[in-house]
Amino acid sequence: MPWRRAGRSGRDNRRIGPGVAISALVVALVCLAAIWPGLLARADPNAVEPVDALLGPSGAHWFGTDQLGRDVYSRVVHGARVSLFIGVGATGIALFLGCLVGMLAATCGRLVDEILMRITDVLMSFPGLLLSLLVVAVLGPSSTNAAIAIGLSGAPGFARLVRAEALVIRQAGYVRTAVTFGAGRARVHLRHVLPNAFAPLLVLALLSVGAAIIAGSSLSFLGLGPRVPTAEWGSMLAQGKDFLTISWAMAVFPGLAITVTVIAINIVGRDLQRRSEGRHPSGTF
């Protein structure tokens, strides 16, 4: 019967698969490590102990030590703050600039739309990492500049999505009714169009955090991220690659931190995307 099918569909939409639950737990742990790293790792991530250099994983050092005797586990935990700062900061910058440019293109007439969209097309023609490298080369290496660079390279994608959503939503009946009753263009777009375009934006933003973490780690791997001795996953991976034959843990654990975090964020983001589009979440993930 229809009501039974509807009830079953509602239960399916509320159901969270084990893969999504585990991924959400991983994301929560990474956020906890970024906010309160001392809760998960007591050791000083920058404490140098030359006599303990290049030790393998043990009860005293769960992930081993690096070439200076620093505890790799503590550095991985503390590195979550910088990596997540770059990922979330870059996504926030891209979201803000994308909303601004997209709304201007949708509301300020054909000429402005054409100019802004052609600029967006030019920026999107560059590979994101190449554009980020260019911006960091101008601003200088740091975690803040890395977030700015990655945010600028990601803004065109948000701008196109905001513009497309705004053009569709402003044709809706309630928007036309508001215009009929005398609501101004700016009021209509700020009060009706932009809030209703935010659902797909937030899903894209969550998915973009993972991509931004990878981009930030790539910049740090190339020496364009935060300065040493700041713990950051990409820079730790760059240091560890030189000691793979002596101490594999130096590179493996920071690499796993990047991989697991990005996969978990993407799984949670894809699940939210399916739910926002009204599709049934996967039974497994």
Side-chain angles (χ1 to χ4, degrees), residues 2-18:
W3 66 271
R4 289 183 177 176
R5 288 197 297 269
R8 186 179 299 113
S9 175
R11 287 193 297 271
D12 288 342
N13 281 329
R14 290 192 299 268
R15 186 177 60 189
I16 298 177

Side-chain angles (χ1 to χ4, degrees), residues 66-80:
D66 65 7
Q67 76 277 17
L68 299 177
R70 296 174 297 191
D71 186 72
V72 174
Y73 169 73
S74 181
R75 289 182 64 77
V76 168
V77 171
H78 283 77

